Amino acid sequence: MHTRREWAWGYLLIAPMALGLAVFYLWPIVQTLFLSFTESGVFGGYTWVGTANFTDLSVDEEMYGALGNTLLYAVLVLAGVPLSIVVAALLNVPGLRGLSLYRTLYFLPVVTMPAAVGLTWSYLFNGDFGVINHLLGYLGIDGPYWLGDPDFAIYAIAVVGIWSSIGYNAVLFLAGLQGIPRHYYEAAEIDGAGRLRQFFRITLPLLTPTTFFVLVITMINALQVFDLVYLMVDPKSPSLQGSRTIVYLFYEKGFVQNQRGLAAAIAVVLLGIILALTAIQFRLQKKWVHYE
């Protein structure tokens, strides 16, 4: 049995973390929930409007457009997860020279400031003098105005999202690969299994716990994308309609149009979507994730 002194020391040690969670996480959530049922005044203050904000969102075409763009972006970024597995598998080749250098190069986008990433890729995707269209010109392809065309903007932004996440995901997959016992591969080699068969029969099944974690984290991050859209797409560009995400819509309503109640309702809806999709992933993981 623990004494009162031990209990007191335990609570004292977790107090800083608990206080930080309460102040910076729990209280903002409660405040956002409250504000979602109010309407902000022109000169401050608020008025209780009940579920009017959610009713307005249910018939708002901008909300449905932003939701569609956000889900499309999330699907595209999730499609880049297999590329991270391939990169991690290549980095895990025994005897690979310069491994530390490769890890650093792939992880560099993760620690690069989003502003630098967005502005750099904006120049690369520039329709007039961008490097990408310049290279396509050598192939006889007339590249579009990537960030100025509503049909291409979200795909260009998704490319940047995939590029930015490969390094982080590859490090996680590399850790998962190094945690697979070597004797599985030795037994497979004795049975005559080649490297390709070992990859699909041993590596991928035993890597599913890491894959599940990466999919959940990548999906949550993708649904909250804002900085790339804000930095790469001009607010007056016609392509904004095809690349506006839910968080960008939240920014417009809350900080540009000063509709804080409606913006809070958008945040609550996004929270509900993330919770629902995450719950579905946790439910489905029982069917395909294999633990040792």
Side-chain angles (χ1 to χ4, degrees):
M1 294 292 293
H2 296 288
T3 63
R4 288 187 176 181
R5 184 183 181 85
E6 291 174 332
W7 281 107
W9 274 108
Y11 284 121
L12 182 63
L13 291 174
I14 67 172
M17 178 64 72
L19 182 62
L21 289 173
V23 173
F24 297 108
Y25 289 92
L26 297 181
W27 172 243
I29 291 175
V30 173
Q31 193 174 30
T32 300
L33 287 172
F34 173 77
L35 288 176
S36 66
F37 296 100
T38 66
E39 180 180 355
S40 57
V42 178
F43 300 102
Y46 54 84
T47 304
W48 183 266
V49 294
T51 59
N53 290 324
F54 296 97
T55 303
D56 292 341
L57 289 178
S58 66
V59 295
D60 189 349
E61 293 184 1
E62 284 189 340
M63 179 62 184
Y64 286 105
L67 177 59
N69 294 334
T70 303
L71 293 177
L72 176 59
Y73 175 85
V75 170
L76 293 173
V77 173
L78 286 173
V81 171
L83 183 59
S84 300
I85 298 177
V86 173
V87 171
L90 293 175
L91 293 177
N92 196 46
V93 175
L96 179 65
R97 300 180 62 181
L99 179 60
S100 299
L101 176 61
Y102 292 132
R103 289 180 180 176
T104 302
L105 291 176
Y106 277 108
F107 197 75
L108 193 60
V110 181
V111 297
T112 304
M113 294 184 63
V117 172
L119 293 176
T120 300
W121 278 94
S122 295
Y123 285 112
L124 294 176
F125 278 120
N126 187 278
D128 294 318
F129 53 82
V131 175
I132 294 177
N133 279 0
H134 186 70
L135 295 176
L136 291 176
Y138 285 116
L139 302 176
I141 301 175
D142 187 15
Y145 283 83
W146 298 96
L147 299 176
D149 192 327
D151 295 329
F152 291 98
I154 192 66
Y155 296 98
I157 296 172
V159 168
V160 183
I162 294 172
W163 175 82
S164 301
S165 62
I166 283 180
Y168 178 75
N169 292 342
V171 169
L172 295 177
F173 282 123
L174 187 59
L177 288 171
Q178 294 176 348
I180 299 177
R182 182 61 192 169
H183 62 262
Y184 289 136
Y185 297 100
E186 295 173 351
E189 290 176 359
I190 295 175
D191 291 338
R195 289 189 177 275
L196 190 60
R197 190 170 185 179
Q198 291 178 27
F199 179 78
F200 285 100
R201 296 290 185 177
I202 299 176
T203 304
L204 284 184
L206 294 181
L207 202 60
T208 49
T210 305
T211 304
F212 170 67
F213 174 78
V214 169
L215 288 175
V216 172
I217 296 300
T218 302
M219 182 202 68
I220 293 174
N221 291 334
L223 291 174
Q224 299 179 81
V225 62
F226 166 75
D227 48 2
L228 293 180
V229 181
Y230 180 79
L231 292 167
M232 297 178 66
V233 180
D234 192 298
K236 299 180 181 179
S237 173
S239 63
L240 183 61
Q241 188 67 25
S243 57
R244 179 190 286 112
T245 60
I246 293 182
V247 179
Y248 193 94
L249 183 63
F250 163 82
Y251 159 76
E252 286 184 326
K253 298 298 183 183
F255 296 93
V256 178
Q257 303 174 14
N258 197 33
Q259 300 181 36
R260 289 176 293 176
L262 192 60
I266 294 174
V268 172
V269 171
L270 178 59
L271 175 62
I273 293 173
I274 291 176
L275 290 176
L277 293 179
T278 304
I280 292 173
Q281 285 185 306
F282 270 89
R283 187 67 179 268
L284 294 178
Q285 63 99 13
K286 299 177 182 179
K287 298 182 179 180
W288 64 276
V289 178
H290 306 283
Y291 297 96
E292 288 187 77

